C-alpha cells in the first residue's frame, strides 16, 4: 500500500477490501477528520488511509456549540472539497442530525453524499437503524455505524459521557453491533467506551472497528483534525493527543499520528476509560 519514501504516501486506492485485509492482518487503520482539499492532500502524503468528513465541522469550522445545526448541504459541500483534494484515501461522510430519520429520507440524502464524492456514509445509532442500513446496503451504499457516545444524541445523554459502562450497557452495545452487521454495516466507529469493551467488540464484530476514546484494541483510530493539531477551541477530551509539538509541521504531525497508531503507542492507557 505504501511506497518506500519517508512520507509513506498511499500508492493505490484504499477500499473496503483494503480495510478488511488490514483487520485480518492486524494492521492498524488510521483516520482523521478533514473538511477541505488542502488538508486532504497533506493527509494523503502522510499515509492516512481513511478520511472522515465529520459533522464536527459544525463546531470546529462553523463555530456552533454542537453538531446539530449542520445540514446535508454543508456535508455535501465539504465532501466535494475533500474529494477534489483526495487521491487514494477512503472518504467517509457523516449523515447529519435528522437527515436519516426514516429509510427513504436516509437513502435520498446518502445518494447526495455519494454523488458529492463520499465512498461511505456514517450514521449514529443502534439497532433501530437496521432497516435503514439494509436499504442503503442493498442500493450499493457502504455504511459505517457509529455507536457508544453519539454526539447527535448529546442532549439525550445529558452531556458528553462515557457509554457502555456496566454489563447491561456493554451487552446492549454488542447486541446493537451484531444487529447492524446483520443489516449490512461495513465498518464501525466506537466513541467513548471502556477500553476492555472496545477489545471485546473488536474481537466479536467481523468487520473493521475504528475507535475514538475506545482504547488501543480497536482495528483503527480516528481523531478530529483540529484536536490532534491542538487548535480546538474548548475542552480537550481525555482521548485526544496533540501531535503538533516538538517543532513538527502539519505534515509531520499527521505522519506521527499514523506511526503511533501503527505501532500501537497511541492511544496509551491515559487516553482510555475503565469499565
Amino acid at each position: 500500500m505504501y511506497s518506500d519514501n519517508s512520507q509513506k504516501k498511499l500508492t493505490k486506492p484504499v477500499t473496503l477490501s483494503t480495510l478488511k485485509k488490514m483487520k485480518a492482518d492486524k494492521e492498524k487503520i488510521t483516520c482523521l477528520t478533514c473538511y477541505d482539499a488542502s488538508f486532504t492532500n497533506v493527509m494523503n502524503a502522510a499515509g492516512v488511509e481513511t478520511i472522515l468528513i465529520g459533522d464536527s465541522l459544525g463546531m470546529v469550522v462553523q463555530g456552533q456549540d454542537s453538531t446539530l445545526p449542520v445540514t446535508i448541504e454543508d456535508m455535501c459541500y465539504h465532501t466535494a472539497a475533500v474529494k477534489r483534494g483526495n487521491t487514494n484515501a477512503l472518504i467517509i461522510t457523516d449523515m447529519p442530525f435528522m437527515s436519516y430519520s426514516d429509510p427513504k429520507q436516509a437513502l435520498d440524502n446518502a445518494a447526495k453524499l455519494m454523488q458529492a464524492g463520499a465512498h461511505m456514509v456514517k450514521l449514529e445509532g443502534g439497532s433501530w437503524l437496521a432497516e435503514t442500513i439494509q436499504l442503503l446496503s442493498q442500493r450499493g451504499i457502504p455504511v459505517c455505524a457509529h455507536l457508544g457516545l453519539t454526539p447527535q444524541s448529546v442532549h439525550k445523554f445529558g452531556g458528553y459521557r462515557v457509554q457502555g459502562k456496566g454489563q447491561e450497557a456493554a451487552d446492549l452495545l454488542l447486541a446493537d453491533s451484531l444487529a447492524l452487521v446483520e443489516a449490512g454495516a461495513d465498518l464501525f466507529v466506537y466513541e467513548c467506551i471502556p477500553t476492555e469493551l472496545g477489545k471485546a467488540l473488536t474481537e466479536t464484530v467481523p468487520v473493521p472497528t475504528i475507535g475514538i476514546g475506545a482504547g488501543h484494541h480497536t482495528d483503527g483510530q480516528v481523531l478530529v483534525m483540529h484536536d490532534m493539531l491542538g487548535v480546538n477551541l474548548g475542552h480537550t477530551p481525555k482521548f485526544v493527543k496533540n501531535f503538533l509539538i516538538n517543532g513538527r509541521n502539519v505534515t509531520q504531525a499527521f505522519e506521527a499520528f499514523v506511526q503511533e497508531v501503527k505501532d500501537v503507542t497511541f492511544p496509551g492507557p491515559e487516553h482510555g476509560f475503565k469499565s
Side-chain angles (χ1 to χ4, degrees):
M1 183 189 307
Y2 299 115
S3 64
D4 292 330
N5 65 39
S6 61
Q7 290 186 318
K8 299 184 181 297
K9 188 177 181 69
L10 298 174
T11 56
K12 60 182 180 180
V14 175
T15 66
L16 273 176
S17 296
T18 308
L19 302 187
K20 290 175 182 176
K21 186 175 187 303
M22 291 176 73
K23 179 182 178 78
D25 293 344
K26 300 189 183 305
E27 178 186 354
K28 295 294 186 179
I29 300 162
T30 58
C31 182
L32 289 171
T33 66
C34 194
Y35 318 98
D36 64 38
S38 297
F39 278 107
T40 298
N41 186 265
V42 180
M43 288 181 188
N44 286 172
V48 178
E49 289 101 0
T50 59
I51 290 174
L52 171 64
I53 298 93
D55 57 4
S56 51
L57 70 88
M59 302 171 79
V60 299
V61 176
Q62 297 176 339
Q64 310 281 4
D65 61 2
S66 75
T67 64
L68 302 189
V70 177
T71 66
I72 193 70
E73 290 77 20
D74 293 332
M75 300 308 298
C76 287
Y77 174 88
H78 287 277
T79 298
V82 167
K83 175 66 174 178
R84 287 190 286 269
N86 187 55
T87 52
N88 291 320
L90 181 78
I91 298 173
I92 307 167
T93 300
D94 275 341
M95 296 193 68
F97 180 65
M98 293 304 291
S99 68
Y100 51 100
S101 57
D102 64 68
K104 175 62 167 59
Q105 182 195 30
L107 182 61
D108 290 344
N109 285 323
K112 293 176 183 177
L113 295 175
M114 297 293 286
Q115 289 171 333
H119 301 130
M120 173 185 284
V121 298
K122 180 165 77 66
L123 297 78
E124 297 181 7
S127 56
W128 65 271
L129 279 173
E131 182 182 356
T132 294
I133 290 176
Q134 184 177 41
L135 177 63
L136 297 182
S137 183
Q138 288 173 343
R139 298 301 188 273
I141 299 175
V143 175
C144 174
H146 184 153
L147 291 169
L149 173 61
T150 48
Q152 292 175 15
S153 302
V154 62
H155 296 304
K156 183 71 173 178
F157 290 148
Y160 295 95
R161 301 175 183 274
V162 179
Q163 303 297 306
K165 284 193 167 187
Q167 194 60 51
E168 183 177 354
D171 288 346
L172 178 59
L173 268 179
L174 177 58
D176 281 344
S177 298
L178 294 176
L180 297 185
V181 168
E182 180 68 22
D186 302 285
L187 183 69
F188 281 89
V189 166
Y190 291 112
E191 181 169 357
C192 283
I193 62 172
T195 296
E196 287 306 307
L197 178 55
K199 181 177 188 288
L201 290 166
T202 298
E203 291 174 346
T204 304
V205 172
V207 300
T209 64
I210 295 178
I212 178 167
H216 64 280
H217 299 289
T218 52
D219 297 313
Q221 299 293 328
V222 60
L223 284 177
V224 172
M225 179 184 71
H226 291 67
D227 286 345
M228 60 86 66
L229 293 178
V231 292
N232 53 329
L233 300 177
H235 169 71
T236 300
K238 178 181 180 180
F239 53 77
V240 168
K241 177 177 178 177
N242 183 356
F243 286 86
L244 192 63
I245 54 174
N246 300 327
R248 291 173 182 154
N249 60 32
V250 170
T251 300
Q252 291 166 338
F254 292 160
E255 290 174 346
F257 169 76
V258 170
Q259 186 59 50
E260 291 192 25
V261 171
K262 295 290 184 185
D263 63 22
V264 202
T265 55
F266 176 80
E270 69 275 18
H271 301 114
F273 301 100
K274 295 181 179 180
S275 299

